Amino acid sequence: MTHALDTAIAKLTTLPADEQDRIAQWLLEELRDEEHWTRQFAASQSALSKLAAEARAERAAGRATEL
């Protein structure tokens, strides 16, 4: 565990139990959400690579405009 996380947890232990539970639920939801997005991005790499190649081809062919 990092020093920062250890410090944060030490401070959390001084809060009332219901507040600790609320923060724990929030943190667990954030971690689940991060895992979900990591899986989503990993599963979409081939599609993203294809889209990027198409965009580069469009730009090289002069069919793209600057924003």
Side-chain angles (χ1 to χ4, degrees):
M1 183 178 320
T2 67
H3 177 68
L5 184 57
D6 195 38
T7 301
I9 290 173
K11 287 188 179 200
L12 288 172
T13 62
T14 66
L15 298 174
D18 62 326
E19 189 72 6
Q20 289 181 35
D21 286 344
R22 186 184 65 75
I23 293 169
Q25 284 301 106
W26 169 80
L27 181 56
L28 290 169
E29 288 171 16
E30 287 294 314
L31 292 170
R32 278 191 295 272
D33 190 51
E34 185 65 28
E35 289 170 355
H36 168 76
W37 281 109
T38 298
R39 285 191 307 274
Q40 291 293 100
F41 283 123
S44 65
Q45 286 306 300
S46 63
L48 292 173
S49 293
K50 181 181 175 187
L51 290 171
E54 290 174 8
R56 284 191 295 272
E58 289 289 313
R59 185 164 193 250
R63 293 189 296 264
T65 58
E66 297 292 326
L67 295 177

